[in-house]
């Protein structure tokens, strides 16, 4: 009997995206082996009701409603734990604002079985299918800033070679029970943003490879799941979690402390530049959120913005 794979979708007010994403998954060439797990983060629209109405009787779609919005990491972890409880050992974490090519999941799964690593696909813009959003990723050598390879480039076959990379974008990444046992679950302190960066850094330390499968194609409706980056909450999470991520991985040993110091100088320049831009644009709420994120890092306040530690 062929092994099953869970495709884990985190939903928060994603009514506009869920159905098309689920339909594309069920059309996969290995569709009979797929269990879809939709973890609802206490949505405040009627997306949860729509999920039950449209998919509640489909035996391949499992809806896990949470009692509060616990963020991206915990929701995915809940989906993974549920899947492990069902005896499933492969998990594709997938944004619900995506659609997948029919052969993408099967190719990613087979590539994992060859490499035993974390697998990421080629991600193209859903509204510009000839344009790359992410073709694997890497880290800069000193401050370890994550970068999506090929971002906004026209797809002309320049990223059509499979191979190892350094960064797995959380939009779509395939894990296994064995990887979870070696690398742990996603860090729930992050709530939103940088959890994939931290997980990739942790994987490198634990000797787990990240592999890019070029002919596994996913289309991403960019920022559909977070409603764009021009929100104070997103400025807060980026400001706080960037510090948290690099404080976890750049401070080891004497060289590490020096590397973190260099990163911190870069970080302050970056944040002050954005503070200046937002101040001139009259976006005082973005400025306040950024300062609050920095403050909460030093006060070790994690999880959702404004939530008591």
């Amino acid at each position: 009997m062929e092994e099953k794979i869970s495709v884990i979708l985190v939903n928060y007010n994603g009514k506009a995206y869920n159905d098309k994403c689920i339909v594309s998954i069920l059309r996969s060439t290995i569709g009979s082996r797929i269990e879809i797990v939709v973890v609802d983060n206490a949505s405040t629209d009627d997306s949860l009701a729509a999920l039950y109405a449209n998919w509640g009787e489909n035996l391949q779609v499992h809806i896990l409603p949470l009692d509060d919005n616990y963020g991206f990491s915990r929701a995915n972890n809940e989906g993974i734990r549920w899947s492990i409880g069902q005896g499933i050992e492969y998990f594709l974490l997938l944004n619900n604002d995506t659609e997948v090519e029919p052969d993408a999941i099967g190719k990613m799964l087979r590539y994992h079985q060859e490499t035993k690593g974390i697998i990421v696909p080629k991600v193209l813009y859903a509204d510009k299918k000839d344009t790359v959003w992410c073709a694997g990723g890497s880290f800069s050598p000193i401050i370890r800033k994550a970068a999506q390879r090929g971002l906004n480039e026209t797809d002309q076959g320049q990223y059509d070679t499979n191979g190892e990379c350094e960064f797995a974008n959380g939009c779509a990444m395939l894990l296994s029970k064995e990887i979870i046992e070696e690398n742990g679950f996603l860090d729930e302190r992050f709530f939103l943003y940088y959890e994939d960066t931290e997980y990739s850094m942790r994987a490198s330390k634990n000797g787990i490879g990240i592999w890019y499968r070029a002919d596994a194609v996913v289309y991403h409706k960019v920022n559909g799941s977070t409603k764009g980056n021009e929100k104070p909450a997103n400025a807060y999470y980026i400001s706080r979690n960037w510090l948290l991520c690099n404080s976890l991985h750049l401070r080891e040993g004497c060289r590490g402390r020096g590397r973190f110091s260099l990163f911190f100088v870069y970080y302050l320049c970056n944040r002050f530049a954005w503070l200046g831009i937002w101040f001139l644009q009259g976006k005082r709420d973005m400025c306040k959120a950024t300062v609050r994120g920095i403050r909460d890092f030093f006060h070790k306040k994690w999880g959702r913005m404004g939530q008591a530690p």
Side-chain angles (χ1 to χ4, degrees):
M1 183 177 178
E2 291 183 307
E3 294 177 293
K4 290 186 175 292
I5 176 173
S6 279
V7 180
I8 299 170
L9 310 177
V10 175
N11 176 59
Y12 181 71
N13 296 344
K15 183 180 178 181
Y17 306 104
N18 291 325
D19 289 346
K20 289 183 178 179
C21 182
I22 292 171
V23 167
S24 76
I25 295 165
L26 293 176
R27 288 176 177 167
S28 296
T29 54
I30 62 165
S32 62
R33 298 168 59 189
I34 291 174
E35 301 290 329
I36 300 174
V37 184
V38 186
V39 185
D40 182 74
N41 250 333
S43 293
T44 57
D45 65 356
D46 61 349
S47 58
L48 180 58
L51 283 166
Y52 279 119
N54 297 336
W55 303 103
E57 295 184 7
N58 189 305
L59 297 180
Q60 285 183 261
V61 180
H62 311 275
I63 303 167
L64 303 183
L66 303 182
D67 62 359
D68 200 355
N69 182 5
Y70 293 108
F72 183 80
S73 292
R74 176 165 170 183
N76 274 301
N77 289 343
E78 294 286 347
I80 294 170
R81 291 188 179 99
W82 181 91
S83 302
I84 291 174
Q86 303 301 309
I88 299 171
E89 298 192 359
Y90 301 102
F91 327 105
L92 174 61
L93 311 188
L94 184 68
N95 278 15
N96 64 339
D97 59 350
T98 61
E99 295 179 44
V100 299
E101 284 286 354
D103 59 357
I105 298 174
K107 287 177 175 177
M108 292 177 73
L109 181 58
R110 288 193 294 274
Y111 202 38
H112 165 75
Q113 291 168 338
E114 293 174 19
T115 63
K116 305 302 180 185
I118 299 169
I119 308 300
V120 294
K122 178 189 285 186
V123 184
L124 305 176
Y125 285 92
D127 59 348
K128 295 184 292 182
K129 293 186 177 180
D130 64 343
T131 305
V132 176
W133 186 73
C134 186
S138 61
F139 291 103
S140 60
I142 297 175
I143 65 170
R144 307 299 287 163
K145 183 176 173 63
Q148 295 172 197
R149 189 171 64 156
L151 179 63
N152 295 327
E153 295 181 21
T154 300
D155 183 19
Q156 298 178 318
Q158 69 271 42
Y159 300 112
D160 282 356
T161 302
N162 299 337
E164 198 164 8
C165 61
E166 295 180 309
F167 168 59
N169 190 290
C171 169
M173 64 175 175
L174 190 146
L175 308 173
S176 67
K177 183 180 177 183
E178 184 176 353
I179 289 173
I180 295 296
E181 290 172 345
E182 293 177 5
N183 209 45
F185 288 87
L186 297 176
D187 190 326
E188 296 178 7
R189 288 176 292 181
F190 286 87
F191 189 84
L192 182 68
Y193 294 124
Y194 281 90
E195 64 288 305
D196 51 0
T197 304
E198 191 281 325
Y199 201 78
S200 299
M201 289 181 171
R202 200 189 326 160
S204 177
K205 287 184 178 179
N206 290 327
I208 299 169
I210 300 172
W211 297 82
Y212 164 68
R213 179 76 190 214
D215 57 354
V217 178
V218 172
Y219 302 104
H220 186 22
K221 299 158 191 175
V222 176
N223 286 325
S225 57
T226 58
K227 311 302 181 189
N229 289 329
E230 285 294 306
K231 293 173 60 178
N234 294 348
Y236 169 85
Y237 292 124
I238 289 169
S239 298
R240 185 194 68 183
N241 293 349
W242 193 4
L243 278 171
L244 173 59
C245 177
N246 282 17
S247 71
L248 292 172
H249 294 284
L250 296 188
R251 281 179 160 169
E252 296 178 351
C254 295
R255 183 181 178 186
R257 287 191 291 271
R259 178 179 286 184
F260 183 79
S261 297
L262 288 173
F263 156 73
F264 192 64
V265 171
Y266 173 85
Y267 171 88
L268 289 177
C269 292
N270 177 282
R271 292 294 88 185
F272 277 118
W274 277 109
L275 284 170
I277 291 168
W278 287 325
F279 183 83
L280 292 174
Q281 293 175 340
K283 297 179 180 179
R284 307 299 166 83
D285 52 351
M286 298 290 284
C287 296
K288 290 178 181 178
T290 296
V291 173
R292 184 176 183 179
I294 297 170
R295 182 195 65 195
D296 281 1
F297 165 77
F298 286 105
H299 290 165
K300 300 186 186 304
K301 292 184 179 180
W302 316 125
R304 190 170 64 203
M305 179 180 176
Q307 194 171 42

